[in-house]
């Protein structure tokens, strides 16, 4: 695994990217595709941009609506191929719980992600915590199970949707 050099490392969450950050993510994506000799087509770029700009993770049909708004005649299989490509390149993540997609804030790094998914507004934050994936790997190896990928989705309420939320004090739930 590569050394984690994320500018957000140590913080508990990554904020939604600003337009400058969106631009930088798209540039990174372009470079990565070039290095890997993959074609970063106009459609792939557009889909990634839409996902980066979204306030909460987007579903394939939402993306389709945006593309149709662009005047593109994109069919669902086209969208799914673009999404598969972006996932394979590590540029986006898929949330299995609601079948939506969100941009990865640090596509250059090999990482396992944990997602905090607000059940009320849908806002989702990617956080990095190696502890969970290490522990999963350790337990899995006792069953001689080879872990290929770990994705953890945590359902809850974001700060905006749970005003006055105070985490239970240590031992409070013990
Ligand atoms: Zn990520
Ligand atoms: Zn919320």
């Amino acid at each position: 695994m590569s050394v984690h050099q994320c500018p957000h490392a140590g913080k508990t969450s990554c904020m939604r990217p600003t337009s400058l950050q969106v631009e930088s993510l798209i540039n990174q994506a372009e470079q990565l595709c070039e290095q890997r000799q993959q074609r970063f087509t106009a459609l792939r770029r557009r889909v990634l941009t839409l996902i980066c700009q979204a306030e909460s993770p987007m579903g394939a049909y939402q993306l389709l609506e945006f593309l149709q708004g662009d005047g593109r005649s994109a069919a669902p299989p086209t969208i799914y191929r673009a999404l598969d490509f972006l996932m394979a390149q590590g540029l986006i993540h898929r949330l299995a719980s609601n079948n939506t997609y969100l941009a990865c804030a640090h596509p250059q790094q090999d990482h396992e992600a944990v997602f905090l998914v607000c059940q009320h507004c849908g806002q989702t934050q990617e956080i990095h915590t190696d502890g969970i994936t290490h522990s999963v790997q350790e337990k899995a190896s006792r069953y001689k199970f080879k872990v290929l990928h770990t994705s953890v989705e945590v359902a809850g309420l974001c700060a905006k949707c749970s005003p006055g939320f105070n985490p239970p004090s240590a031992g409070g739930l013990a």
Side-chain angles (χ1 to χ4, degrees), residues 2-3 6 27 35 38 55 60 74 79 87 100 111 113 121 133 155 162:
S2 63
V3 181
C6 171
N27 288 339
Q35 281 164 24
Q38 299 290 330
E55 257 177 69
I79 284 279
M87 273 194 292
T100 56
H111 64 283
C121 71
T133 50
S162 58

Side-chain angles (χ1 to χ4, degrees), residues 4 12 18 31 34 40 58 61 67 71 78-79 82 94 117-118 121 133 135 144 148-150 152-154 165 169:
H4 208 286
T12 50
T18 62
Q31 281 169 20
E34 208 178 288
F40 194 47
M58 290 178 98
Y61 281 85
L67 293 176
T78 318
I79 284 279
R94 176 174 167 270
V117 187
C118 178
C121 71
T133 50
S135 138
K144 299 204 186 334
L148 297 175
H149 177 71
T150 313
V152 179
E153 295 172 31
V154 183
F165 169 69
S169 59

Side-chain angles (χ1 to χ4, degrees), residues 117-124 156-162:
V117 187
C118 178
Q119 299 299 282
H120 188 247
C121 71
Q123 200 202 50
T124 301
L157 292 172
C158 74
K160 212 173 62 205
C161 295
S162 58

Side-chain angles (χ1 to χ4, degrees), residues 51 54-60 62-63 80 83-84 86-87 91-105 111-128 149-156:
I51 293 174
E55 257 177 69
S56 50
M58 290 178 98
Q62 263 176 299
L63 288 162
Y80 283 112
L83 290 167
D84 284 344
L86 296 171
M87 273 194 292
L91 298 167
I92 60 171
H93 294 293
R94 176 174 167 270
L95 294 177
S97 61
N98 55 13
N99 209 6
T100 56
Y101 301 84
L102 76 165
C104 176
H111 64 283
E112 302 287 2
V114 175
F115 303 99
L116 304 180
V117 187
C118 178
Q119 299 299 282
H120 188 247
C121 71
Q123 200 202 50
T124 301
Q125 286 185 323
E126 179 180 347
I127 58 170
H128 294 116
H149 177 71
T150 313
S151 173
V152 179
E153 295 172 31
V154 183

